[in-house]
């Protein structure tokens, strides 16, 4: 890859920036942990798959249509 190409310069910018971080690495770790908790843990324990529990297999679209129309 040529050193004057846009991709190389963009990669070098981010690589150099992350390499020289001190506090930023800790903040990115905290952000990653929070996103993991929000999207994985909360989804598994607090948001069950309601449609698959209350409809027959292969009839999910019909279940959603009747629920939307009846409400």
């Amino acid at each position: 890859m040529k050193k004057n190409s846009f991709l190389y310069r963009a990669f070098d910018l981010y690589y150099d920036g992350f390499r020289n971080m001190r506090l930023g690495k800790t903040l990115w770790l905290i952000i990653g942990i929070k996103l993991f908790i929000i999207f994985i843990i909360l989804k598994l324990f607090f948001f069950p798959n309601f449609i698959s529990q209350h409809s027959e297999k292969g009839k999910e679209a019909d279940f959603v249509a009747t629920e939307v129309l009846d409400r």
Side-chain angles (χ1 to χ4, degrees):
M1 188 181 257
K2 295 180 182 179
K3 290 191 177 207
N4 290 337
S5 72
F6 174 75
L7 292 176
Y8 179 80
R9 288 185 294 152
F11 172 77
D12 190 43
L13 174 73
Y14 284 104
Y15 181 74
D16 188 43
F18 280 110
R19 184 180 47 190
N20 292 328
M21 276 192 204
R22 298 275 187 261
L23 178 63
K25 289 180 184 178
T26 306
L27 294 175
W28 277 110
L29 180 66
I30 292 171
I31 290 169
I33 291 170
K34 287 174 70 175
L35 287 174
F36 175 78
I37 290 171
I38 289 170
F39 288 113
I40 305 300
I41 305 298
L42 291 178
K43 169 73 171 117
L44 289 175
F45 293 112
F46 296 108
F47 301 110
N49 195 346
F50 185 81
I51 295 173
S52 68
Q53 292 176 355
H54 291 87
S55 67
E56 298 175 14
K57 186 162 180 83
K59 302 281 185 176
E60 292 90 359
D62 294 333
F63 174 75
V64 172
T66 56
E67 289 295 314
V68 169
L69 293 175
D70 290 343
R71 291 183 187 206

Coordinates of all heavy atoms in Angstrom, one line a residue:
M1 N 0.9 -1.2 0.0 CA 0.0 0.0 0.0 C 0.9 1.2 0.0 O 1.9 1.3 0.7 CB -0.9 0.0 1.2 CG -2.0 1.0 1.2 SD -3.0 1.0 2.7 CE -4.4 0.2 2.1
K2 N 0.6 2.2 -0.8 CA 1.4 3.4 -0.9 C 1.1 4.3 0.3 O 0.0 4.3 0.9 CB 1.0 4.2 -2.1 CG 1.3 3.5 -3.4 CD 0.9 4.3 -4.6 CE 1.2 3.6 -5.9 NZ 0.8 4.4 -7.1
K3 N 2.2 5.0 0.8 CA 2.1 5.8 2.0 C 1.3 7.1 1.7 O 0.9 7.7 2.6 CB 3.5 6.1 2.5 CG 4.2 4.9 3.1 CD 5.4 5.4 3.8 CE 6.0 4.1 4.4 NZ 6.8 4.4 5.6
N4 N 1.1 7.4 0.5 CA 0.3 8.6 0.1 C -1.2 8.3 -0.1 O -2.0 9.2 -0.2 CB 0.8 9.3 -1.1 CG 2.2 9.9 -0.8 OD1 2.5 10.2 0.3 ND2 3.0 10.1 -1.9
S5 N -1.6 7.0 0.0 CA -3.0 6.7 -0.3 C -3.9 7.1 0.9 O -3.4 7.2 2.1 CB -3.2 5.2 -0.6 OG -3.0 4.5 0.6
F6 N -5.1 7.4 0.6 CA -6.0 7.8 1.7 C -6.2 6.8 2.8 O -6.2 7.1 4.0 CB -7.4 8.2 1.0 CG -8.4 8.5 2.1 CD1 -8.4 9.7 2.7 CD2 -9.4 7.6 2.4 CE1 -9.4 10.1 3.7 CE2 -10.4 7.9 3.3 CZ -10.4 9.1 4.0
L7 N -6.3 5.5 2.4 CA -6.6 4.5 3.3 C -5.4 4.3 4.3 O -5.6 4.1 5.5 CB -6.8 3.1 2.6 CG -8.2 3.1 1.9 CD1 -8.3 1.8 1.1 CD2 -9.3 3.2 2.8
Y8 N -4.2 4.4 3.7 CA -3.0 4.3 4.6 C -2.9 5.5 5.6 O -2.7 5.3 6.8 CB -1.7 4.2 3.7 CG -0.5 4.1 4.6 CD1 -0.1 2.9 5.1 CD2 0.3 5.3 4.9 CE1 1.0 2.8 5.9 CE2 1.4 5.2 5.7 CZ 1.8 4.0 6.2 OH 2.9 3.9 7.0
R9 N -3.2 6.7 5.1 CA -3.1 7.8 6.0 C -4.2 7.8 7.1 O -4.0 8.1 8.2 CB -3.2 9.1 5.2 CG -2.0 9.4 4.4 CD -2.0 10.7 3.7 NE -3.1 10.6 2.7 CZ -3.8 11.7 2.2 NH1 -3.6 12.9 2.7 NH2 -4.7 11.5 1.3
A10 N -5.4 7.3 6.7 CA -6.5 7.2 7.7 C -6.2 6.1 8.7 O -6.3 6.3 9.9 CB -7.8 6.8 7.0
F11 N -5.7 5.0 8.3 CA -5.3 3.9 9.2 C -4.1 4.4 10.1 O -4.2 4.2 11.3 CB -4.8 2.7 8.4 CG -4.2 1.6 9.3 CD1 -5.0 0.8 10.1 CD2 -2.8 1.5 9.4 CE1 -4.4 -0.1 10.9 CE2 -2.3 0.5 10.2 CZ -3.1 -0.3 11.0
D12 N -3.2 5.1 9.6 CA -2.0 5.6 10.4 C -2.5 6.6 11.4 O -2.0 6.6 12.5 CB -1.0 6.2 9.4 CG 0.3 6.5 10.2 OD1 0.7 5.7 11.0 OD2 0.9 7.6 9.9
L13 N -3.5 7.4 11.1 CA -4.0 8.4 12.0 C -4.7 7.7 13.2 O -4.4 8.1 14.3 CB -5.1 9.3 11.3 CG -5.8 10.3 12.2 CD1 -4.9 11.4 12.6 CD2 -7.1 10.8 11.4
Y14 N -5.5 6.7 12.9 CA -6.2 6.0 14.0 C -5.2 5.2 14.8 O -5.3 5.1 16.0 CB -7.4 5.2 13.5 CG -8.5 6.0 13.2 CD1 -8.9 6.3 11.8 CD2 -9.4 6.6 14.2 CE1 -10.0 7.1 11.5 CE2 -10.4 7.3 13.9 CZ -10.7 7.6 12.5 OH -11.8 8.4 12.3
Y15 N -4.3 4.5 14.1 CA -3.3 3.7 14.8 C -2.5 4.5 15.7 O -2.2 4.1 16.9 CB -2.5 2.9 13.8 CG -1.5 2.0 14.4 CD1 -1.9 0.8 14.9 CD2 -0.1 2.3 14.4 CE1 -1.0 -0.1 15.5 CE2 0.8 1.5 15.0 CZ 0.4 0.3 15.5 OH 1.3 -0.6 16.1
D16 N -2.0 5.6 15.2 CA -1.1 6.5 16.1 C -1.9 7.1 17.2 O -1.4 7.2 18.3 CB -0.5 7.6 15.2 CG 0.5 8.4 15.9 OD1 1.3 7.7 16.7 OD2 0.5 9.6 15.8
G17 N -3.1 7.4 17.0 CA -4.0 8.0 18.0 C -4.3 7.0 19.1 O -4.2 7.4 20.3
F18 N -4.6 5.8 18.8 CA -4.9 4.8 19.8 C -3.7 4.3 20.5 O -3.7 4.0 21.7 CB -5.7 3.6 19.2 CG -7.1 3.9 19.0 CD1 -7.6 4.0 17.7 CD2 -8.0 3.9 20.1 CE1 -9.0 4.2 17.5 CE2 -9.3 4.2 19.9 CZ -9.8 4.3 18.6
R19 N -2.5 4.3 19.8 CA -1.3 3.9 20.5 C -0.9 4.8 21.5 O -0.3 4.4 22.6 CB -0.2 3.7 19.4 CG 1.1 3.2 19.9 CD 2.1 3.0 18.8 NE 2.1 4.3 18.1 CZ 2.8 4.5 17.0 NH1 3.4 3.5 16.4 NH2 2.8 5.6 16.3
N20 N -1.1 6.1 21.3 CA -0.6 7.1 22.3 C -1.6 7.5 23.4 O -1.4 8.3 24.2 CB -0.2 8.4 21.5 CG 1.0 8.2 20.7 OD1 1.9 7.4 21.0 ND2 1.1 8.9 19.6
M21 N -2.8 6.8 23.4 CA -3.8 7.1 24.4 C -3.4 6.5 25.8 O -2.8 5.5 25.8 CB -5.1 6.5 24.0 CG -5.9 7.3 23.1 SD -7.6 6.5 23.1 CE -8.1 7.0 21.5
R22 N -3.8 7.2 26.8 CA -3.7 6.7 28.1 C -5.1 6.5 28.7 O -5.6 5.4 28.9 CB -2.8 7.6 29.0 CG -1.4 7.7 28.6 CD -0.6 6.6 29.1 NE 0.8 6.9 28.8 CZ 1.4 6.3 27.7 NH1 0.8 5.5 27.0 NH2 2.7 6.6 27.5
L23 N -5.7 7.6 28.9 CA -7.1 7.6 29.5 C -8.1 7.1 28.5 O -9.1 6.5 28.8 CB -7.5 9.0 30.0 CG -8.9 9.2 30.5 CD1 -9.0 8.4 31.8 CD2 -9.1 10.7 30.8
G24 N -7.9 7.4 27.2 CA -8.8 7.0 26.2 C -9.0 5.5 26.1 O -10.1 5.0 25.8
K25 N -8.0 4.7 26.3 CA -8.1 3.2 26.3 C -9.1 2.8 27.4 O -9.9 1.9 27.2 CB -6.8 2.6 26.5 CG -5.9 2.7 25.2 CD -4.6 2.0 25.4 CE -3.7 2.2 24.2 NZ -2.4 1.6 24.4
T26 N -8.9 3.4 28.6 CA -9.8 3.0 29.7 C -11.3 3.4 29.4 O -12.2 2.7 29.6 CB -9.4 3.7 31.0 OG1 -8.0 3.4 31.2 CG2 -10.2 3.3 32.2
L27 N -11.4 4.6 28.8 CA -12.8 5.0 28.4 C -13.4 4.2 27.4 O -14.6 3.8 27.5 CB -12.8 6.5 28.0 CG -12.4 7.5 29.0 CD1 -12.3 8.9 28.4 CD2 -13.4 7.5 30.2
W28 N -12.6 3.7 26.4 CA -13.2 2.8 25.3 C -13.5 1.5 26.0 O -14.5 0.8 25.6 CB -12.2 2.6 24.2 CG -12.3 3.7 23.2 CD1 -11.4 4.7 23.0 CD2 -13.4 4.0 22.3 NE1 -11.8 5.5 22.0 CE2 -13.0 5.1 21.5 CE3 -14.6 3.3 22.0 CZ2 -13.9 5.6 20.6 CZ3 -15.4 3.9 21.1 CH2 -15.0 5.0 20.3
L29 N -12.8 1.0 26.9 CA -13.1 -0.2 27.6 C -14.4 -0.1 28.4 O -15.3 -1.0 28.3 CB -12.0 -0.6 28.6 CG -12.2 -1.9 29.4 CD1 -12.2 -3.1 28.4 CD2 -11.1 -2.0 30.4
I30 N -14.6 1.0 29.1 CA -15.9 1.2 29.8 C -17.0 1.3 28.8 O -18.1 0.7 29.0 CB -15.8 2.5 30.6 CG1 -14.8 2.3 31.8 CG2 -17.1 2.9 31.1 CD1 -14.4 3.6 32.5
I31 N -16.9 2.0 27.7 CA -17.9 2.1 26.7 C -18.2 0.7 26.1 O -19.4 0.3 26.0 CB -17.5 3.0 25.5 CG1 -17.5 4.4 26.0 CG2 -18.4 2.9 24.3 CD1 -16.8 5.4 25.0
G32 N -17.2 -0.1 25.9 CA -17.5 -1.5 25.4 C -18.2 -2.4 26.4 O -19.1 -3.1 26.0
I33 N -17.8 -2.3 27.6 CA -18.5 -3.0 28.7 C -20.0 -2.6 28.8 O -20.9 -3.4 28.9 CB -17.8 -2.9 30.0 CG1 -16.4 -3.6 29.9 CG2 -18.6 -3.4 31.2 CD1 -15.5 -3.3 31.1
K34 N -20.2 -1.3 28.8 CA -21.6 -0.8 28.9 C -22.4 -1.3 27.7 O -23.6 -1.7 27.8 CB -21.6 0.7 29.0 CG -21.1 1.2 30.3 CD -21.0 2.7 30.3 CE -22.4 3.4 30.2 NZ -22.3 4.9 30.4
L35 N -21.9 -1.2 26.5 CA -22.6 -1.7 25.3 C -22.9 -3.2 25.4 O -24.0 -3.7 25.0 CB -21.8 -1.4 24.0 CG -21.8 0.1 23.6 CD1 -20.9 0.3 22.4 CD2 -23.2 0.5 23.3
F36 N -21.9 -4.0 25.9 CA -22.2 -5.4 26.1 C -23.3 -5.6 27.1 O -24.2 -6.4 26.8 CB -20.9 -6.1 26.6 CG -21.0 -7.5 27.0 CD1 -21.1 -8.5 26.0 CD2 -21.2 -7.9 28.3 CE1 -21.2 -9.8 26.3 CE2 -21.3 -9.2 28.6 CZ -21.4 -10.2 27.6
I37 N -23.3 -4.9 28.2 CA -24.4 -5.1 29.2 C -25.7 -4.7 28.6 O -26.7 -5.4 28.7 CB -24.1 -4.2 30.4 CG1 -22.9 -4.9 31.2 CG2 -25.3 -4.1 31.3 CD1 -22.4 -4.0 32.3
I38 N -25.8 -3.6 27.9 CA -27.0 -3.1 27.3 C -27.6 -4.1 26.3 O -28.8 -4.4 26.3 CB -26.9 -1.7 26.7 CG1 -26.7 -0.7 27.8 CG2 -28.1 -1.3 25.8 CD1 -26.3 0.7 27.3
F39 N -26.8 -4.5 25.3 CA -27.3 -5.3 24.2 C -27.3 -6.8 24.4 O -28.1 -7.5 23.9 CB -26.5 -5.0 22.9 CG -26.7 -3.6 22.4 CD1 -25.7 -2.7 22.4 CD2 -28.0 -3.3 21.9 CE1 -26.0 -1.4 21.9 CE2 -28.2 -2.0 21.4 CZ -27.2 -1.1 21.4
I40 N -26.5 -7.3 25.3 CA -26.5 -8.8 25.5 C -27.2 -9.2 26.8 O -28.1 -9.9 26.7 CB -25.0 -9.3 25.5 CG1 -24.2 -8.9 24.3 CG2 -25.0 -10.8 25.7 CD1 -24.8 -9.4 23.0
I41 N -26.7 -8.6 27.9 CA -27.3 -9.1 29.2 C -28.8 -8.6 29.3 O -29.6 -9.5 29.7 CB -26.5 -8.5 30.3 CG1 -25.0 -8.9 30.2 CG2 -27.0 -8.9 31.7 CD1 -24.7 -10.4 30.2
L42 N -29.1 -7.4 29.1 CA -30.5 -6.9 29.2 C -31.4 -7.6 28.2 O -32.5 -8.0 28.5 CB -30.5 -5.4 29.0 CG -29.9 -4.6 30.2 CD1 -30.0 -3.1 29.9 CD2 -30.6 -4.9 31.5
K43 N -30.9 -7.9 27.0 CA -31.7 -8.6 26.0 C -32.1 -10.0 26.4 O -33.2 -10.4 26.3 CB -31.0 -8.6 24.6 CG -31.6 -9.4 23.6 CD -32.8 -8.9 23.0 CE -33.3 -9.6 21.8 NZ -34.6 -10.3 22.0
L44 N -31.1 -10.7 27.0 CA -31.3 -12.1 27.4 C -32.3 -12.2 28.6 O -33.1 -13.1 28.6 CB -30.0 -12.7 27.8 CG -29.0 -13.0 26.6 CD1 -27.7 -13.6 27.2 CD2 -29.6 -14.0 25.7
F45 N -32.1 -11.3 29.5 CA -32.9 -11.5 30.8 C -34.2 -10.7 30.9 O -35.1 -11.1 31.6 CB -32.0 -11.2 32.0 CG -30.9 -12.2 32.1 CD1 -29.6 -11.8 31.9 CD2 -31.2 -13.5 32.5 CE1 -28.6 -12.7 32.1 CE2 -30.1 -14.4 32.6 CZ -28.8 -14.0 32.4
F46 N -34.3 -9.5 30.2 CA -35.4 -8.7 30.4 C -36.3 -8.5 29.2 O -37.4 -8.0 29.3 CB -34.9 -7.3 30.9 CG -34.3 -7.3 32.2 CD1 -32.9 -7.1 32.3 CD2 -35.0 -7.6 33.4 CE1 -32.3 -7.2 33.6 CE2 -34.4 -7.6 34.6 CZ -33.0 -7.4 34.7
F47 N -35.8 -8.9 28.0 CA -36.6 -8.8 26.8 C -36.8 -10.1 26.1 O -36.1 -10.4 25.1 CB -36.0 -7.7 25.9 CG -35.9 -6.4 26.5 CD1 -34.6 -5.9 26.8 CD2 -37.0 -5.6 26.8 CE1 -34.5 -4.6 27.4 CE2 -36.9 -4.4 27.3 CZ -35.6 -3.9 27.7
P48 N -37.7 -11.0 26.6 CA -37.8 -12.3 25.9 C -38.4 -12.1 24.6 O -39.1 -11.1 24.2 CB -38.8 -13.0 26.9 CG -39.6 -11.9 27.6 CD -38.6 -10.8 27.7
N49 N -38.3 -13.2 23.8 CA -38.8 -13.1 22.4 C -40.3 -13.5 22.5 O -40.7 -14.6 22.4 CB -38.1 -14.1 21.5 CG -38.3 -13.9 20.1 OD1 -39.3 -13.2 19.7 ND2 -37.5 -14.5 19.2
F50 N -41.1 -12.4 22.6 CA -42.6 -12.6 22.8 C -43.3 -13.3 21.6 O -44.1 -14.1 21.8 CB -43.2 -11.2 23.0 CG -44.6 -11.2 23.4 CD1 -45.0 -11.5 24.7 CD2 -45.6 -11.0 22.4 CE1 -46.4 -11.5 25.0 CE2 -46.9 -11.0 22.7 CZ -47.3 -11.3 24.0
I51 N -42.9 -13.0 20.4 CA -43.5 -13.5 19.2 C -43.3 -15.0 19.2 O -44.3 -15.8 18.9 CB -43.0 -12.8 18.0 CG1 -43.5 -11.4 18.0 CG2 -43.6 -13.5 16.7 CD1 -42.9 -10.5 16.9
S52 N -42.1 -15.5 19.4 CA -41.9 -16.9 19.3 C -42.5 -17.7 20.4 O -42.8 -18.9 20.3 CB -40.4 -17.2 19.3 OG -39.8 -16.9 20.5
Q53 N -42.8 -17.1 21.5 CA -43.4 -17.7 22.7 C -44.9 -17.8 22.5 O -45.5 -18.7 23.1 CB -43.1 -17.0 24.0 CG -41.6 -17.1 24.4 CD -41.3 -16.3 25.6 OE1 -42.2 -15.6 26.1 NE2 -40.1 -16.4 26.1
H54 N -45.5 -16.9 21.8 CA -47.0 -16.8 21.7 C -47.5 -17.2 20.3 O -48.7 -17.1 20.1 CB -47.4 -15.4 22.1 CG -47.2 -15.2 23.5 ND1 -46.1 -14.6 24.0 CD2 -48.0 -15.3 24.6 CE1 -46.2 -14.5 25.3 NE2 -47.4 -14.9 25.7
S55 N -46.7 -17.6 19.4 CA -47.2 -18.0 18.1 C -46.7 -19.3 17.7 O -45.7 -19.8 18.2 CB -46.8 -16.9 17.0 OG -45.4 -16.9 16.8
E56 N -47.3 -19.9 16.7 CA -46.9 -21.2 16.2 C -45.7 -21.0 15.2 O -45.6 -19.9 14.6 CB -48.0 -21.9 15.4 CG -49.2 -22.2 16.3 CD -50.3 -22.8 15.4 OE1 -50.1 -23.2 14.3 OE2 -51.5 -22.8 15.9
K57 N -44.9 -22.0 15.1 CA -43.7 -21.9 14.2 C -44.2 -21.8 12.8 O -45.0 -22.5 12.3 CB -42.8 -23.1 14.4 CG -41.5 -23.0 13.6 CD -40.5 -24.0 14.1 CE -39.3 -23.9 13.3 NZ -38.4 -22.8 13.8
G58 N -43.7 -20.8 12.1 CA -44.1 -20.5 10.7 C -45.3 -19.6 10.5 O -45.6 -19.2 9.5
K59 N -45.9 -19.2 11.7 CA -47.1 -18.4 11.6 C -46.9 -17.1 12.3 O -47.8 -16.4 12.8 CB -48.3 -19.1 12.3 CG -48.7 -20.4 11.7 CD -49.5 -20.2 10.5 CE -49.9 -21.6 10.0 NZ -50.8 -21.4 8.8
E60 N -45.6 -16.7 12.4 CA -45.3 -15.4 13.2 C -45.9 -14.2 12.5 O -46.4 -13.3 13.2 CB -43.8 -15.3 13.3 CG -43.1 -16.3 14.2 CD -42.6 -17.6 13.5 OE1 -42.9 -17.6 12.2 OE2 -42.1 -18.4 14.1
A61 N -45.8 -14.1 11.2 CA -46.4 -13.0 10.5 C -47.9 -12.8 10.7 O -48.4 -11.7 10.9 CB -46.0 -13.1 9.0
D62 N -48.6 -14.0 10.7 CA -50.0 -13.9 10.9 C -50.3 -13.4 12.4 O -51.2 -12.7 12.6 CB -50.6 -15.3 10.7 CG -50.5 -15.7 9.2 OD1 -50.5 -14.8 8.4 OD2 -50.5 -16.9 9.0
F63 N -49.5 -13.9 13.3 CA -49.7 -13.5 14.7 C -49.5 -12.0 14.8 O -50.3 -11.3 15.5 CB -48.7 -14.2 15.6 CG -48.7 -13.8 17.0 CD1 -49.7 -14.1 17.9 CD2 -47.7 -13.0 17.5 CE1 -49.8 -13.6 19.2 CE2 -47.7 -12.5 18.8 CZ -48.7 -12.9 19.7
V64 N -48.5 -11.5 14.3 CA -48.2 -10.0 14.3 C -49.3 -9.2 13.6 O -49.8 -8.2 14.2 CB -46.8 -9.7 13.7 CG1 -46.6 -8.2 13.6 CG2 -45.7 -10.3 14.5
A65 N -49.8 -9.7 12.5 CA -50.8 -9.0 11.8 C -52.1 -9.0 12.6 O -52.8 -7.9 12.7 CB -51.1 -9.7 10.4
T66 N -52.5 -10.1 13.2 CA -53.7 -10.1 14.0 C -53.6 -9.2 15.3 O -54.5 -8.5 15.7 CB -54.1 -11.5 14.4 OG1 -53.0 -12.1 15.1 CG2 -54.5 -12.3 13.2
E67 N -52.4 -9.2 15.9 CA -52.2 -8.4 17.1 C -52.2 -6.9 16.7 O -52.8 -6.1 17.5 CB -50.8 -8.7 17.7 CG -50.8 -10.0 18.4 CD -51.7 -10.1 19.6 OE1 -51.7 -9.1 20.4 OE2 -52.5 -11.1 19.7
V68 N -51.7 -6.5 15.6 CA -51.7 -5.1 15.2 C -53.1 -4.7 14.8 O -53.6 -3.6 15.2 CB -50.7 -4.9 14.0 CG1 -50.9 -3.5 13.4 CG2 -49.3 -5.1 14.4
L69 N -53.9 -5.5 14.1 CA -55.2 -5.2 13.7 C -56.2 -5.2 14.8 O -57.1 -4.4 14.9 CB -55.7 -6.1 12.6 CG -54.9 -6.0 11.2 CD1 -55.4 -7.0 10.3 CD2 -55.1 -4.6 10.7
D70 N -56.0 -6.1 15.8 CA -57.0 -6.2 16.9 C -56.8 -5.1 18.0 O -57.7 -4.8 18.7 CB -56.9 -7.5 17.6 CG -57.4 -8.6 16.7 OD1 -58.1 -8.3 15.7 OD2 -57.1 -9.8 16.9
R71 N -55.6 -4.5 18.0 CA -55.4 -3.5 19.0 C -55.7 -2.2 18.4 O -56.0 -1.2 18.4 CB -53.9 -3.5 19.5 CG -53.7 -4.7 20.3 CD -52.3 -4.8 20.8 NE -52.1 -6.1 21.4 CZ -51.2 -6.3 22.4 NH1 -50.5 -5.3 22.8 NH2 -51.1 -7.5 22.9

